[in-house]
Amino acid sequence: MTQAEINLCSLLLQEHFGEIVEKIGVHLIRTGSQPLRVIAHDTGTSLDQVKKALCVLIQHNLVIYQVHKRGVVEYEAQCSRVLRMLRYPRYIYTAKTLYSDTGELIVEELLLNGKMTMSAVVKKVADRLTETMEDGKTMDYAEVSNTFVRLADTHFVQRCPLVPATENSDPGPPPPAPTLVVNEKDMYLVPKLSLIGKGKRRRSSDEEAAGEPKAKRPKHTLDNKEPIPDDGIYWQTNLDRFHQHFRDQAIVSAVANRMDQTSSEIVRTMLRMSEITTLSNAPFTQPLSSNEIFRSLPVGYNISKQVLDQYLTLLADDPLEFVGKSGDSGGGIFGSRCARIFRLVLQKKHLEQKQVEDFAMIPAKEAKDMLYKMLSENFISLQEIPKTPDHAPSRTFYLYTVNILSAARMLLHRCYKSIANLIERRQFETKENKRLLEKSQRVEAIIASMQATGAEEPQLQEIEEMITAPERQQLETLKRNVNKLDASEIQVDETIFLLESYIESTMKRP
Amino acid sequence: MAGNKGRGRAAYTFNIEAVGFTRGEKLPDVVLKPPPLFPDTDYKTVPLKTGEGEDYMLALKQELRETMKRMPFFMETPEEKQDIERYSKRYMKVYKEEWVPDWRRLPREMMPRKKCKKDPKSKKAKDTGKVTSLTNTADVLKKIEELEKRGDSEKSDEENEEKEGSKEKSKEGDDDDDAAEQQEYDEEEQEEENDYINSYFEDGDDSGAESDDNVDEATY
């Protein structure tokens, strides 16, 4: 794990779980697999806190444990899984586009809680949906269950590995840690539950809990005594499936950019047909005959078989092979002319200095300048082709070439650094204005409570004036900046996804 | 010999034209220091994408950030005691739900160990911790009284348990008391705060029961 990745993980863990969990998590990422006492000793935290932190991390699938010989249990952190936390909004939004609000909330609850039983998810989502509905209406459990089943069928959620059922005849003390078993067949099998009920609206009297805590508040609103029918069967989101979906989307939009809408539809159909048949990280889909494609095209498209065949030939001949990167716009750091040169070298594989100038139609001096800039940043490399065995420089060809894999890795590394910078800047901005933010929160709270008790307009205005105009301005600026930084984070993560997918798929090729 | 233009004079070992410089032209300056921390970029960056999807994701992200802070998974660092108790702190405190992990899925060592004690529950009064449903002092006092009464009757149960020497982690009858969980963590914390063994302050009869199972003679 590179330093940049570790740094980013640290920021993410801290934002989402607090400093203690961050300390433990980062320590594990840095040092690899370690047992409990060593962690406590090396990080200087109390055993109790280490245990709690590990429980949280394990619950969210960020740390796994393994039993080694002599009964020592070692814990290992999954750095790449921590980095996925950046992508949570994207997963949730995708679920929303595919399965509407119910799907969105199911995925959100699963991501927030790490793993949950189906009954717990259904109940929570129904409650949340009921809150947003009009008075008197409630959300039925059955509807939520249906959406859950659909998510499971399309593999967007999957079962967690199970604790094996222990037999009572097991002699000796129980093992120090359960060995979780992955049952491939049952991974998407939804347990038969008859969840009958409706979502409960949280009554306003319950919300008074802040002011009047009861001595013994019951944990669940349902009876405690009722055994949960699907106890022990936990579900988690299947991130790989989401990634597959993103990849398909990227491919389709790349084709649409390069050619036209119809060809992108064709590609989308092909991908949809191969969704279940192909493994998510296979380099090529299963071969599909044009007849099959023809039959599976969406209903609205009336293109004849011939036209379809033509399109398919076009797609097959395209040199870009629509994988990974799609075209860019603008040009980014080096400008659009540099981008032109870069694309040129990428396409032609190897070029001499003079050829670059000719093909790109850029004056020699500028071309030189740009090439060297890109060279110094390692986007382009030089390839030596000696004419003579002694590699004399005066008699060697020097060709410019792009090594995509290393360029991709380099870009990825830069992306990690950028996101870390974005997060740090956002935290800095928030901290700078902390006093002001707290003040505005207090004012809002006061206004809200006054409105609840029926205050008049002039009183409300008076309270609002507690925040002066320049302060309001400052708040506005802060909000704008934070939004921009957040949006940038999301988009850099998209690039990270593309680059990571590309690197992964390139490495797998034999 | 040929091609060597004399000692000390700069001579290129390769054909300079191949790399694109004409002969005699001024070469760019040699870079003598590390690049600046915030280099000027000649070109403006690509503008951010905008659209309904992006806006929604942005809102989601900010919401998620806030929600995560309120979840029981977010472990607060215990802050240093401030000299003046600020009023605002009291009503801005967030009450979190308790989260109990499924112990069957975790290694056994994860469970906080519950050592049997003489009067563990009275320590709860000092608990100002993260998750508690008792901030009302009147309630606390009432609870202490209840627990003291209960504590005496349970002492004998604890002795029996210890005699069997079982390492069971089963909770006792006060299962549905939220504070039982909290209390276990407390015990660990209390344990490590001081250097005394826990049995240091216990009564004579208790320590007698702990030391030896089979000994019936009186302790001195």
Side-chain angles (χ1 to χ4, degrees):
Chain A
M1 293 294 120
T2 64
Q3 191 59 34
E5 287 173 311
I6 298 179
N7 193 25
L8 185 53
C9 286
S10 152
L11 286 168
L12 288 170
L13 284 173
Q14 185 191 24
E15 251 193 351
H16 292 153
F17 297 116
E19 284 186 9
I20 304 179
V21 176
E22 181 254 332
K23 197 156 49 152
I24 311 289
V26 168
H27 176 78
L28 275 178
I29 294 176
R30 276 215 176 95
T31 56
S33 192
Q34 284 201 328
L36 183 63
R37 299 219 167 249
V38 180
I39 301 176
H41 179 265
D42 284 351
T43 55
T45 10
S46 73
L47 205 57
D48 173 55
Q49 292 197 319
V50 175
K51 286 184 192 173
K52 268 189 182 164
L54 283 175
C55 283
V56 169
L57 287 168
I58 294 178
Q59 171 76 9
H60 282 83
N61 309 312
L62 301 172
V63 159
I64 56 171
Y65 60 83
Q66 265 183 321
V67 185
H68 287 257
K69 55 185 191 290
R70 296 234 231 115
V72 174
V73 183
E74 290 201 346
Y75 303 90
E76 199 178 322
Q78 322 263 62
C79 176
S80 52
R81 179 62 180 83
V82 179
L83 293 173
R84 292 302 144 256
M85 289 173 73
L86 278 169
R87 220 165 276 163
Y88 282 3
R90 207 167 164 198
Y91 298 138
I92 300 175
Y93 181 65
T94 308
K96 187 189 174 80
T97 52
L98 294 174
Y99 294 102
S100 87
D101 289 341
T102 322
E104 174 197 358
L105 287 183
I106 292 179
V107 171
E108 187 178 328
E109 283 297 322
L110 279 176
L111 283 173
L112 277 176
N113 288 293
K115 14 172 132 56
M116 288 169 87
T117 58
M118 178 172 167
S119 40
V121 175
V122 168
K123 180 175 176 304
K124 224 164 181 198
V125 172
D127 285 345
R128 275 180 77 173
L129 283 170
T130 309
E131 293 275 326
T132 61
M133 290 164 87
E134 305 155 2
D135 282 325
K137 283 198 173 172
T138 53
M139 174 59 100
D140 204 19
Y141 282 9
E143 207 179 307
V144 182
S145 298
N146 280 341
T147 317
F148 192 95
V149 170
R150 279 163 67 200
L151 278 167
D153 283 340
T154 42
H155 295 205
F156 279 105
V157 300
Q158 67 186 47
R159 274 209 212 177
C160 302
L162 293 168
V163 179
T166 50
E167 300 113 25
N168 286 335
S169 59
D170 202 29
T179 324
L180 300 175
V181 171
V182 178
N183 192 342
E184 288 286 342
K185 284 188 290 129
D186 288 343
M187 217 156 27
Y188 304 103
L189 193 60
V190 179
K192 292 218 181 338
L193 302 173
S194 57
L195 288 168
I196 306 173
K198 297 194 187 306
K200 289 203 171 39
R201 198 184 292 273
R202 206 173 33 170
R203 284 184 293 271
S204 50
S205 57
D206 287 351
E207 286 172 344
E208 290 280 315
E212 299 173 57
K214 306 186 186 76
K216 254 197 188 169
R217 206 165 359 136
K219 266 193 213 168
H220 316 284
T221 48
L222 292 182
D223 346 281
N224 274 352
K225 314 292 189 302
E226 209 176 271
I228 312 174
D230 62 343
D231 189 32
I233 303 180
Y234 291 94
W235 293 80
Q236 61 185 0
T237 42
N238 182 2
L239 297 187
D240 282 336
R241 178 67 183 88
F242 278 101
H243 293 165
Q244 197 186 350
H245 182 87
F246 296 154
R247 191 196 59 202
D248 295 349
Q249 266 183 336
I251 293 177
V252 167
S253 76
V255 172
N257 273 340
R258 197 158 165 77
M259 296 182 193
D260 71 347
Q261 186 68 17
T262 321
S263 37
S264 76
E265 280 304 317
I266 296 176
V267 174
R268 195 201 301 267
T269 317
M270 284 173 71
L271 288 168
R272 206 174 344 123
M273 286 163 64
S274 346
E275 248 169 29
I276 313 286
T277 56
T278 322
L279 289 172
S280 63
N281 41 16
F284 306 102
T285 63
Q286 301 283 1
L288 301 161
S289 76
S290 64
N291 274 321
E292 288 179 337
I293 300 177
F294 188 60
R295 269 176 290 156
S296 314
L297 275 177
V299 182
Y301 274 89
N302 303 333
I303 54 174
S304 69
K305 183 96 177 13
Q306 236 182 339
V307 176
L308 173 69
D309 282 335
Q310 281 179 339
Y311 267 115
L312 285 172
T313 354
L314 252 179
L315 284 169
D317 286 340
D318 187 290
L320 263 190
E321 296 168 41
F322 41 90
V323 134
K325 306 190 202 195
S326 51
D328 61 352
S329 62
I333 312 179
F334 299 115
S336 56
R337 285 176 152 193
C338 253
R340 214 155 79 205
I341 296 182
F342 184 80
R343 213 180 286 161
L344 181 65
V345 178
L346 183 64
Q347 215 170 2
K348 301 274 182 192
K349 305 282 192 281
H350 296 277
L351 281 179
E352 263 187 359
Q353 168 90 37
K354 196 98 185 21
Q355 287 174 309
V356 170
E357 294 166 20
D358 290 337
F359 279 124
M361 294 182 287
I362 294 178
K365 219 183 245 178
E366 273 183 49
K368 236 188 312 172
D369 201 27
M370 290 178 188
L371 277 171
Y372 288 139
K373 240 197 294 188
M374 286 199 280
L375 193 61
S376 66
E377 304 273 354
N378 288 325
F379 279 99
I380 285 192
S381 44
L382 274 178
Q383 170 80 39
E384 294 176 4
I385 303 187
K387 289 191 228 178
T388 59
D390 65 352
H391 285 254
S394 55
R395 290 187 286 276
T396 320
F397 283 119
Y398 288 96
L399 296 176
Y400 290 102
T401 180
V402 174
N403 181 348
I404 305 190
L405 195 56
S406 72
R409 268 196 238 266
M410 194 263 303
L411 269 178
L412 187 60
H413 189 247
R414 267 185 148 173
C415 283
Y416 288 137
K417 278 203 207 161
S418 330
I419 289 204
N421 287 345
L422 285 168
I423 296 181
E424 293 220 25
R425 179 73 201 199
R426 175 170 47 79
Q427 286 179 343
F428 172 75
E429 292 273 333
T430 315
K431 202 154 67 151
E432 282 279 295
N433 294 295
K434 188 167 147 187
R435 195 197 66 89
L436 190 56
L437 274 171
E438 283 180 356
K439 179 174 175 186
S440 81
Q441 270 176 351
R442 269 203 295 270
V443 167
E444 273 176 34
I446 296 175
I447 291 184
S449 66
M450 281 178 75
Q451 276 177 341
T453 55
E456 292 138 16
E457 190 56 40
Q459 281 179 315
L460 289 175
Q461 270 190 343
E462 211 180 294
I463 303 290
E464 275 189 22
E465 274 164 27
M466 278 170 65
I467 304 187
T468 65
E471 282 181 337
R472 245 180 243 285
Q473 188 81 350
Q474 214 180 333
L475 277 172
E476 271 299 313
T477 319
L478 173 66
K479 193 169 160 63
R480 212 178 35 235
N481 288 343
V482 168
N483 282 352
K484 246 198 213 157
L485 291 167
D486 267 330
S488 314
E489 276 180 50
I490 296 179
Q491 290 186 19
V492 176
D493 179 63
E494 278 184 35
T495 314
I496 287 185
F497 170 70
L498 281 176
L499 291 169
E500 275 181 352
S501 315
Y502 176 75
I503 293 177
E504 212 184 321
S505 59
T506 319
M507 302 247 296
K508 283 217 164 57
R509 270 192 211 144
Chain B
M1 248 70 83
N4 198 0
K5 286 218 178 143
R7 312 168 100 220
R9 208 112 69 100
Y12 300 118
T13 52
F14 58 99
N15 184 6
I16 192 84
E17 274 165 22
V19 204
F21 291 107
T22 56
R23 291 191 75 89
E25 191 184 312
K26 196 160 104 87
L27 296 169
D29 295 327
V30 181
V31 176
L32 286 167
K33 53 187 184 191
L37 196 53
F38 292 109
D40 298 323
T41 48
D42 298 319
Y43 304 97
K44 263 186 88 116
T45 48
V46 181
L48 290 174
K49 278 200 270 191
T50 46
E52 195 189 308
E54 274 74 30
D55 289 337
Y56 193 80
M57 280 201 271
L58 178 65
L60 259 179
K61 183 174 217 277
Q62 294 178 333
E63 246 182 69
L64 273 177
R65 210 167 33 228
E66 290 305 308
T67 316
M68 290 240 186
K69 289 208 163 70
R70 288 199 295 265
M71 305 226 51
F73 305 118
F74 191 97
M75 289 173 61
E76 313 267 4
T77 31
E79 286 170 18
E80 304 106 39
K81 286 256 180 255
Q82 295 186 325
D83 3 330
I84 316 169
E85 169 101 16
R86 306 224 171 242
Y87 177 73
S88 58
K89 287 260 185 276
R90 182 129 65 106
Y91 70 81
M92 286 213 294
K93 230 194 278 203
V94 180
Y95 287 86
K96 295 193 188 171
E97 287 176 12
E98 175 96 47
W99 168 64
V100 179
D102 186 351
W103 299 114
R104 294 169 297 182
R105 292 183 69 94
L106 294 170
R108 275 190 321 167
E109 58 186 8
M110 282 281 118
M111 278 190 79
R113 257 171 306 146
K114 189 175 163 166
K115 292 242 169 69
C116 297
K117 288 197 168 143
K118 176 200 174 188
D119 210 2
K121 299 180 171 104
S122 64
K123 293 199 182 144
K124 211 160 83 67
K126 295 190 213 149
D127 173 31
T128 51
K130 325 122 203 179
V131 186
T132 172
S133 49
L134 307 168
T135 49
N136 206 342
T137 45
D139 278 329
V140 167
L141 289 173
K142 219 183 356 162
K143 202 85 168 104
I144 295 178
E145 281 172 32
E146 278 178 44
L147 291 170
E148 274 180 8
K149 272 187 261 164
R150 249 203 279 167
D152 288 329
S153 61
E154 279 185 344
K155 214 183 11 171
S156 45
D157 289 347
E158 289 172 3
E159 285 180 14
N160 288 336
E161 267 198 21
E162 269 197 74
K163 273 196 182 148
E164 288 163 5
S166 68
K167 279 205 206 161
E168 290 296 329
K169 315 272 194 300
S170 58
K171 299 188 182 137
E172 295 174 342
D174 50 347
D175 229 345
D176 48 354
D177 194 342
D178 284 356
E181 278 282 307
Q182 184 64 33
Q183 179 195 318
E184 290 174 359
Y185 290 112
D186 272 352
E187 287 178 10
E188 293 274 343
E189 283 175 19
Q190 303 288 357
E191 264 178 39
E192 295 172 23
E193 271 173 30
N194 50 32
D195 291 333
Y196 299 116
I197 342 172
N198 289 317
S199 56
Y200 187 80
F201 292 114
E202 286 180 355
D203 289 353
D205 41 323
D206 264 7
S207 60
E210 278 178 43
S211 56
D212 219 334
D213 282 348
N214 296 324
V215 167
D216 287 332
E217 56 195 41
T219 55
Y220 295 98

